[in-house]
Amino acid sequence: MNRRIKSCCSQLLHKACCCFLIMVCFLFLGSGCHSSNAPAVKTVRIGLAMYSQNDTFISAVVQEMEQLAREKESVSDLKINLNLADGQSNQTVQLEQIDRFLDSGCDVLCVNIVDRTAAAVLIDKAASRDIPVIFFNRQPVQEDLQRWEKVYYVGPKGEESGIYQGEIILEAWRKDQPDIDKNGDGTIQYVMLEGEPGHQDAMLRSEYAIKPLLKANILLEKLDSDTANWSRSQAAAKMKQWCEMFGEKIEVVIANNDDMALGAIDAMKEAGIAPLPAVVGVDATEPAIEALRKKELLGTVQNAPEMPGVLLELALRLSDPESSLEKMQIEEGHYIWLPYYKITRETLIQQEIEGF
Ligand code: BGC
Ligand code: CA
């Protein structure tokens, strides 16, 4: 009897085991089928190093890149890991961040370099791991870009923004000279707020902004110029001094970027200067467009609005061995030049009419 129960039990156990194994096989096969039908997700790891996260323009570029990356993910099989690092305006800190990106196995680097004369070390590090590097906004010297074929620069040509600023002032002068020439001496008395010393955009904008005026034989008197390091508060402090020194004599303020133009406006309002002189900036940041609408700013220059899209596109192509760079319009093997756009109240109205 006992033995019969035992053998009956062992038969039942045997059957149960068989059923379990069959079920496991089905589950396994089922899940295998499912995964072979699902789209393969490819992960692209982009290491993005900013010179400083506090920079108004740079943080806007990076935010837009993040947004575009999410949009790209939603229409493709890609997973885009955009890893950000804030260089805190310190080249040593940024180089450590680059080391970390390379050690963690990123596919491509996008670098807004702190010190644009120090790109060689960074390029050699990336080249030793065969990781392409895209510099943007802060342009390394040409010899450095030529150290390796997988190094690129994406950005606009600084001189173009300077010329547009000069043209904006010239157009306003031609349209209503007394409005600018407050003391009626036929000369433009101006001050210039410069960006960070050594930055290609600061140097080129300062040099080129007056060229259209000189070319049109407009007389210019530079009251003073100084750097305010792209910063609104530094520009306000500098402008406060100039208001005390020159007061109503200032007819035009040329600022290398919008943050500094807005800082100048802050200080002039504070000093009770009215009407405000003509102020021009570069970048077309949101607060600058607001100031333009309020007629506090005469004009600005949109700073390569295509940059976030082009950076993402190039980074994705470089991390895909099957992709070609043919359509990327790369000049001299390394450069992708982007346009600036002149922005005045008239162009804003025009854009609104055209439904932008
Ligand atoms: C922009 C500045 C910005 C700088 C940072 C320039 O092109 O006009 O607003 O601070 O780049 O590198
Ligand atoms: Ca004058």
Side-chain angles (χ1 to χ4, degrees), residues 51 55-58 112 137-138 196 199-201 205 229-230 256-259 282-283 303 340:
Y51 94 95
D55 186 287
T56 312
F57 173 69
I58 295 301
N112 179 222
N137 168 264
R138 302 166 73 92
E196 190 186 337
H199 191 302
Q200 82 282 345
D201 289 342
R205 287 172 195 168
N229 290 305
W230 305 122
N256 285 170
N257 79 343
D258 284 345
D259 267 9
V282 178
D283 284 344
N303 191 349
Y340 280 107

Side-chain angles (χ1 to χ4, degrees), residues 173 180-189 249 251:
W173 175 272
I180 301 222
D181 187 14
K182 300 245 161 53
N183 64 358
D185 67 350
T187 300
I188 295 180
Q189 277 78 20
K249 215 178 160 197
E251 294 173 341

Side-chain angles (χ1 to χ4, degrees), residues 44-57:
V44 180
R45 293 151 305 172
I46 304 173
L48 196 158
M50 291 170 271
Y51 94 95
S52 165
Q53 202 163 20
N54 293 334
D55 186 287
T56 312
F57 173 69

Side-chain angles (χ1 to χ4, degrees), residues 33 43 69 101 161 301:
C33 268
T43 303
F101 280 148
S161 50
V301 181

